[in-house]
Amino acid sequence: MKRPTPLTACIILSMLLLLAGGCATTIPAREFIAKYTVNIDVPNPDQADLPCRIFLGRRKDYCCIKDIIPGNQGGGFLGKTILWRCPSAELPKDFPEAYRPGDVVIDGRKGAKYKYVIQAYNSK
């Protein structure tokens, strides 16, 4: 059995990193708030693997939402992960408190008290 060449090892490693990281897409505040306030589309609700939308909160200078789309829901052969982000400076000062999240948007912030953001939403 031959040892893999360093080039082959680098190609495999870079492919794994790309798959793990997903795609990062910077979007304007209006579109970001629209994604936050609705649920992710579920084209095949009868399938076992469902897509999910996760609110990650503020990370450095951006607010982030992650969409995870399994292959059987339109995510391609291996599935797809998309990181939506918006510069925090573009978002209103009262975001996210003043915006009602989608019913099944998962709360992915560190130390989150609840699993879904809607459970922690405070209507004033």
Side-chain angles (χ1 to χ4, degrees):
M1 188 168 173
K2 284 186 169 181
R3 264 182 69 191
T5 64
L7 178 61
T8 305
C10 287
I11 291 171
I12 291 171
L13 181 61
S14 63
M15 287 177 63
L16 289 173
L17 288 173
L18 277 173
L19 290 174
C23 304
T25 306
T26 302
I27 56 176
R30 175 182 249 169
E31 190 176 341
F32 188 85
I33 291 170
K35 289 194 181 300
Y36 177 78
T37 56
V38 298
N39 298 323
I40 193 168
D41 290 333
V42 181
N44 302 313
D46 296 331
Q47 297 288 328
D49 294 331
L50 297 174
C52 65
R53 176 163 285 158
I54 303 167
F55 178 61
L56 300 173
R58 297 187 191 273
R59 292 184 169 191
K60 296 188 181 179
D61 297 332
Y62 292 93
C63 261
C64 301
I65 293 174
K66 184 183 349 182
D67 285 353
I68 301 172
I69 306 166
N72 62 355
Q73 296 286 348
F77 181 65
L78 297 174
K80 179 170 42 173
T81 299
I82 305 168
L83 181 65
W84 304 103
R85 62 186 198 161
C86 178
S88 296
E90 289 183 17
L91 291 167
K93 298 255 187 261
D94 59 354
F95 182 81
E97 291 81 13
Y99 295 87
R100 184 181 174 91
D103 294 339
V104 295
V105 176
I106 297 171
D107 197 343
R109 296 175 287 183
K110 288 185 180 179
K113 185 176 179 182
Y114 301 105
K115 181 176 181 178
Y116 297 102
V117 180
I118 192 70
Q119 292 173 310
Y121 173 73
N122 182 11
S123 61
K124 295 177 182 177

